[in-house]
Amino acid sequence: MASHIVGYPRMGPKRELKFALESFWDGKSSAEDLEKVAVDLRASIWKQMSDVGIKYIPSNTFSYYDQVLDTTAMLGAVPPRYNWTGGEIGNSTYFSMARGNASVPAMEMTKWFDTNYHFIVPELGPDVNFSYASHKAVNEYKEAKALGVNTVPVLVGPVTYLLLSKPAKGVEKTFSLLSLLDKILPVYKEVIAELKAEGASWIQFDEPTLVLDLESHQLEAFTKAYAELESTLSGVNVLIETYFADIPAAAYKTLTSLPGVTGFGFDLVRGTKTLDLIRSEFPAGKYLFAGVVDGRNIWANDLDASLITLQSLEGVVGKDNLVVSTSSSLLHTAVDLVNEPKLDKEIKSWLAFAAQKVVEVNALAKALSGEKDEAFFSANAAAQASRKSSPRVNNEAVQKAAADLKNSDHRRATNVSARLDAQQKKLNLPILPTTTIGSFPQTVELRRVRREYKAKKISEEEYITAIKEEINKVVKLQEELDIDVLVHGEPERNDMVEYFGEQLSGFAFTANGWVQSYGSRCVKPPIIYGDVSRPKPMTVFWSSTAQSMTKRPMKGMLTGPVTILNWSFVRNDQPRFETCYQIALAIKDEVEDLEKAGITVIQIDEAALREGLPLRKAEHAFYLDWAVHSFRITNVGVEDTTQIHTHMCYSNFNDIIHSIIDMDADVITIENSRSDEKLLSVFREGVKYGAGIGPGVYDIHSPRIPSTEEIADRINKMLAVLETNILWVNPDCALENMVSACKLLRKELASAK
């Protein structure tokens, strides 16, 4: 019985690639130095899977930024502003598209389906001249082959690539991106021909858009694409991989009817209904890559349950045609539990990171072949039983409090317009008030202080003194810049979700459980293993300390319950909404304590609200109902004069704008600059929004600093569709230029009156 891995984490067990990338970007190391780190990481990944016994090992899943940008490079689809003149795309052009440069901004970045991973959105139009401009897929296949590992090269499928793209600036929004299929397929043919010539026996095409709600003409594009590629693919086995959700019946029929395809991969963890489609009809002689090991979470697989599922599928597809696989790429999990010597032993026994999941896949494949490792399965069953019965998982008081929430929709008693009037009387802010989203840059010295405090090398008194000094610097800087509503810069926090999780019950933490978010950005998601509550205040001391340093309003900074949920590894033994309600109650306690301490502006970030939206439209309403309800729970008890802000970043909000309004926040800040002001279009289309709103004017993740005039132009575009009295100004996630632009426009608006 064969085994398969869809994809693997690329940052390395100790974030080796992250540090190599940042060193290269900072000019401290060469392209050769960067490539050496990449080569060593790829070699270790391939060797690990080969040693375990995985048959179908992926290549070309390693990336310096993301796999969609890699495909853009492969197709030579470089926007004109980057002045690429042809030939093999190098690091300069590649990273300019990803991050921008001193002259031009980056391409738009958005979430990869419903994950916390991001990709760079291709900008396409009828005038793009596609050409084979990056040989990365072939080079990595050859690299693995030279090490004695015959891999399965992975390509983002042509239809998914186009469906994830957007019309370039100046191209009609109604332009059919699928009309470009005939233009990109010749490049795919060149890549396929080269891979075949080098000896590839399998090629994997990732087509995850097949799990979305597609229209008939979109499904027809898959048939057209693979019919066109069929002759080129002759002589090589073809796997079409889908993941993240159930595949709709119409898409399943289209997929399993595609010409020239050898095997089909399905997510059977998040797509349990797909099992019914497979059992009712599966094409004879084709391979089923059964994704029974979760690629999105860190819980150990229930091997006995998975084996039963796989055995039932054997009768449908045939013993020789069943391949055990992960449900998706393991990119979304941490790398290896071996790097967690300090993790609680009981909790550790419940977990499986990427390296352990590779072993699980192979163990299941061997069990199906009659080589079951009884000791391994027995230990797994014991861990499953331990988790179900552990008293540290269940808290009856928390469960009852969460259950009681269903009796109210938790709305503030006064409407937002009246609240804003009351808040303005108290805060006395100018028109176009300025603020920042939260964190200030974490200095080397600051990281050293936190590290030494955790290691008990400095006293609590020394730690508090150092953090207070840092807060004071941030406060004085903002006052000098004339920011209206200040933040304390969050010097005590390394990561906003981790910071709160460390102070909530029901959470566990890793030392090296890093997961890539985008580029070199890595996060270390907390593990929610049990019922959640707040033992004591979490931020009140620091927010009160910061407020004592200034007469201007100081924002209390919290992470919202939906974002904590979506940016954590969540327990899979109860519905996600139940866990979210528990977190909401904990944040509610913190909000009310901040208000009692005199904090009059409180920001509850829900940066990840949109990314948790289910991929299928039929499931949207239920998710949005409990997600928005969770946010309202956090602040339902505050006074009208307490201003509640929330923040969202890097996503497409236009389709959930009414749910955002239903959150009933007093002020909302949303990413706008990097998405080419896509957000503003929803207001141009007539959506009425009465609360304060701050579309970002500056992308802080780009090295490029916009001028005062450019920021003023962005604000004027906002004023064209938003009322002056509700508009706030902030960067997306140069403050000097931002404030200067606001002052300039305040004068102009005053003159106009």
Side-chain angles (χ1 to χ4, degrees), residues 204-268:
Q204 175 179 318
F205 292 89
D206 281 6
E207 294 281 14
T209 51
L210 277 163
V211 305
L212 304 179
D213 296 308
L214 300 181
E215 298 176 10
S216 58
H217 77 280
Q218 294 171 317
L219 290 175
E220 288 165 7
F222 289 94
T223 303
K224 177 182 176 181
Y226 289 94
E228 179 65 27
L229 293 174
E230 184 178 12
S231 60
T232 309
L233 288 166
S234 176
V236 67
N237 293 294
V238 177
L239 166 63
I240 307 291
E241 187 67 52
T242 68
Y243 36 78
F244 296 155
D246 280 302
I247 185 168
Y252 178 82
K253 185 175 182 180
T254 296
L255 172 60
T256 53
S257 302
L258 291 178
V261 177
T262 317
F264 311 98
F266 299 105
D267 183 336
L268 301 183

Side-chain angles (χ1 to χ4, degrees), residues 152-171:
V152 178
V154 179
L155 302 174
V156 174
V159 182
T160 286
Y161 177 78
L162 292 177
L163 290 176
L164 294 179
S165 302
K166 70 173 186 178
K169 196 167 186 178
V171 175

Side-chain angles (χ1 to χ4, degrees), residues 310-363:
L310 291 165
Q311 288 169 336
S312 73
L313 290 171
E314 273 188 329
V316 177
V317 304
K319 193 177 187 72
D320 294 335
N321 290 338
L322 182 62
V323 180
V324 182
S325 182
T326 53
S327 65
S328 66
S329 172
L330 297 175
L331 172 70
H332 311 289
T333 66
V335 179
D336 196 341
L337 272 174
V338 169
N339 299 312
E340 303 300 333
K342 296 181 180 178
L343 190 60
D344 179 276
K345 287 185 178 179
E346 183 182 31
I347 294 173
K348 192 174 181 177
S349 74
W350 303 339
L351 307 178
F353 290 0
Q356 288 69 47
K357 289 176 184 291
V358 169
V359 174
E360 289 179 338
V361 167
N362 198 61

Side-chain angles (χ1 to χ4, degrees), residues 495-508:
D495 175 271
M496 64 181 186
V497 174
E498 183 179 351
Y499 176 80
F500 289 103
E502 284 178 337
Q503 300 182 78
L504 296 169
S505 63
F507 282 74

